[in-house]
Amino acid sequence: MSQVEDPVPSVQAVEPDAVVAGPKRRWGMLLSGFVAGVVVGTGAVGLTWASTGSGGDPAAGVDGDAATACSLVRRTGSMSAGSQLDFDQFGRWSSASALMQSASHDNVRYKPLANALARTVEIVAATYKAEGAEFEEHVRQARALCAGL
């Protein structure tokens, strides 16, 4: 008699080497969603605010927007609360960024300030932290540019 091979090979269960950490991954997604929401929301507020302007001279509205953004920058303290992002401070800073993006479209002299503010928001969105040499440099630059207005 000949031996007949089993047409279906046996399958062994393989245990994964590591289990993906669920809670940490969910926090990252939650934080990412929050940061995206803040950026989009403040952008919408900034665009609405900039488009309503002062009614008369559009340049006066733009200058007023820049002054308001710099007021927000001056009121923003550290965006880190220990090892976590301080969402209140970051929300204020990202609102100033959205407002300056709108102002810089109407007056190019505000472009360097808009870029410095936007870069800090991008760094937080990418790292979930308000820290690091590049972040600190852009914060310093934004504060100096606001002081010069």
Side-chain angles (χ1 to χ4, degrees):
M1 262 197 198
S2 68
Q3 255 185 329
V4 177
E5 288 187 33
D6 187 5
V8 179
S10 63
V11 178
Q12 291 181 323
V14 178
E15 293 294 321
D17 292 336
V19 177
V20 176
K24 183 174 178 120
R25 185 172 186 175
R26 281 189 231 134
W27 275 109
M29 290 175 63
L30 179 66
L31 184 58
S32 179
F34 176 79
V35 170
V38 167
V39 170
V40 170
T42 55
V45 169
L47 287 174
T48 301
W49 194 349
S51 67
T52 58
S54 63
D57 181 16
V62 171
D63 292 340
D65 289 345
T68 301
C70 284
S71 174
L72 290 170
V73 166
R74 282 188 290 279
R75 289 179 39 217
T76 302
S78 173
M79 287 175 263
S80 289
S83 63
Q84 295 186 346
L85 182 65
D86 184 331
F87 291 113
D88 292 337
Q89 297 297 325
F90 178 68
R92 186 175 292 121
W93 190 270
S94 60
S95 295
S97 175
L99 195 53
M100 283 311 301
Q101 290 301 317
S102 297
S104 72
H105 288 288
D106 291 328
N107 188 332
V108 295
R109 85 179 190 147
Y110 297 126
K111 196 71 170 165
L113 176 55
N115 289 342
L117 289 167
R119 188 61 191 129
T120 59
V121 173
E122 291 167 2
I123 291 169
V124 171
T127 64
Y128 308 115
K129 295 179 182 175
E131 62 187 27
E134 184 181 7
F135 176 83
E136 295 299 331
E137 174 58 28
H138 289 294
V139 168
R140 186 203 57 72
Q141 184 181 24
R143 291 188 191 281
L145 288 166
C146 276
L149 288 182

